[in-house]
Structures are given as C-alpha cells and as structure tokens.
Amino acid sequence: MAQLSETTQINTLPTPPSGSSRGVAATELRPWGSFTVLEEGRGYKIKRIEVKPGHRLSLQMHHHRSEHWIVVCGTAKVVCGDQEVVLTNNQSTYVPQCTTHRLENPGVIPLVLIEVQNGEYLGEDDIVRYQDDYARTNDENSKTAIKSR
C-alpha cells in the first residue's frame, strides 16, 4: 500500500532587515491613468502602472534611475532610445538610466504593468520631459516632489 507524505515548502529567500523596506500602496492619478507605489526601499521602488487606452506618458528621461517594465495586461508601445517595441502579457523591457523613453497604450483595454526602479534617487522630480501630451513641465515635478517630502 502506498503511503502519502505531507511536504512543507519553506521560503528560503532572505528577508530584508526590519525597516529597510516598506509597503506603500499609495495611488496617484495622472491624466494618462495612475500609478500605485507597492513597495520601496533603499535603491529600489516597485510600482503598478495603469495606462488608459489611447493614452501615453511623456517622452522623458531620468538622471538617477533605471526601470524594468513587465506587462501584466494589455498592450504596451515602448520607445526606448532609438528603438520602438510592442509588448503584451508577460513580456518585459529594460530602460537604462539617462535614456529617453515613452510608454503608450495603443490598445482598447487598460494597460497594466509592474515597474521596478533601481537607482540612487527615485523621486518623482527626477523626470526630464521632452514632450508631453498634457502640457506638463519639469517645474511641476519639482513642486509636487517638494510638497510630498
């Protein structure tokens, strides 16, 4: 007669020391959609980004951070440097620090992606805008960041 044994899986991933990361879950609305900060710690920030159909973020660059984007739902049109790619569910891309980039939703359903930022400074005022559909300026980033600090 066969015996059944119970197996317990143990999480072997190291956990960060208390206080080194924090769950945030603060959602900010933007003209193109919204983003929610899921977690941030020293040198990284994780966001859930939702882009409305037919909308796009500004053509921008960051001096102090790189970004990894993973598509969860929908279609993403990504401009990164001089390359343009279209990504769908479970596809990803990397945006190096100091590289001009833009994210767009060309589809008919909301685009949802996870963004992982890495860098020495991750503030929202580290955005240099080159073109913006909503007439936002770089000065608006500084004012917003100063108010939230």
Side-chain angles (χ1 to χ4, degrees), residues 56-70:
R56 63 185 181 174
L57 285 67
S58 57
L59 180 63
Q60 59 187 256
M61 184 269 295
H62 309 289
H63 287 287
H64 302 285
R65 71 176 183 243
S66 61
E67 298 172 338
H68 295 264
W69 293 340
I70 303 103

Side-chain angles (χ1 to χ4, degrees), residues 60-132:
Q60 59 187 256
M61 184 269 295
H62 309 289
H63 287 287
H64 302 285
R65 71 176 183 243
S66 61
E67 298 172 338
H68 295 264
W69 293 340
I70 303 103
V71 176
V72 175
C73 178
T75 302
K77 180 177 170 184
V78 176
V79 172
C80 185
D82 59 357
Q83 297 196 357
E84 185 177 299
V85 296
V86 174
L87 304 173
T88 57
N89 297 8
N90 204 30
Q91 293 183 315
S92 64
T93 193
Y94 173 70
V95 179
Q97 182 175 318
C98 296
T99 302
T100 304
H101 61 281
R102 170 175 261 159
L103 176 64
E104 179 177 346
N105 180 355
V108 295
I109 64 170
L111 164 63
V112 177
L113 61 86
I114 298 299
E115 174 182 88
V116 179
Q117 301 175 357
N118 290 103
E120 60 189 56
Y121 179 72
L122 304 171
E124 289 302 310
D125 56 340
D126 181 30
I127 298 175
V128 177
R129 285 197 174 96
Y130 297 104
Q131 194 281 324
D132 185 68

